[in-house]
Amino acid sequence: MINFIERYKILFSILFYLAFGNKFLANIAGLDESSAFILKFISSVFLFGFWITVLLDMILNKLRDKTFWILSMFFIAFMAPVVYLFRRQKTLREPARYSI
């Protein structure tokens, strides 16, 4: 799943921030309360699913600075998943090429 998300990381980043700003979008579109509630519910499900997918990827893979990435998911949740997607390949630990 994370490979699919990583392949389309720009699209998922845009969707992530659109879902974060769902109240703003509902006000701009002039939606009534029931339509705004549906938009908020759908965006909350998307945000939670995306956030959990990225968090599980962080937990299950060997990363450099794993503690930093996991704590950032909790403290700056609006920015950490997107930054992680763009930095994922560089944060994965590579096996040592040369042994001494």
Side-chain angles (χ1 to χ4, degrees):
M1 178 70 178
I2 194 72
N3 292 330
F4 177 75
I5 292 174
E6 189 177 20
R7 191 176 324 140
Y8 300 106
K9 59 187 159 197
I10 293 175
L11 174 66
F12 276 95
S13 300
I14 292 168
L15 289 175
F16 181 77
Y17 285 117
L18 285 176
F20 237 95
N22 65 11
K23 188 173 183 180
F24 176 71
L25 292 174
N27 287 339
I28 287 177
L31 299 176
D32 58 345
E33 277 189 41
S34 62
S35 299
F37 175 76
I38 292 170
L39 178 65
K40 288 177 188 178
F41 179 75
I42 291 171
S43 64
S44 297
V45 168
F46 172 75
L47 283 173
F48 184 71
F50 182 75
W51 191 84
I52 288 293
T53 303
V54 172
L55 183 66
L56 286 176
D57 185 65
M58 286 179 186
I59 292 171
L60 296 176
N61 285 323
K62 292 182 179 181
L63 302 174
R64 288 187 204 112
D65 303 322
K66 183 183 263 191
T67 306
F68 165 75
W69 284 109
I70 292 174
L71 287 176
S72 69
M73 286 290 287
F74 291 101
F75 291 115
I76 48 175
F78 62 91
M79 193 172 73
V82 173
V83 172
Y84 174 74
L85 277 181
F86 285 94
R87 300 285 304 167
R88 183 175 184 268
Q89 290 301 321
K90 293 179 182 177
T91 59
L92 291 175
R93 285 192 181 170
E94 296 178 13
R97 294 184 185 177
Y98 305 104
S99 59
I100 297 175

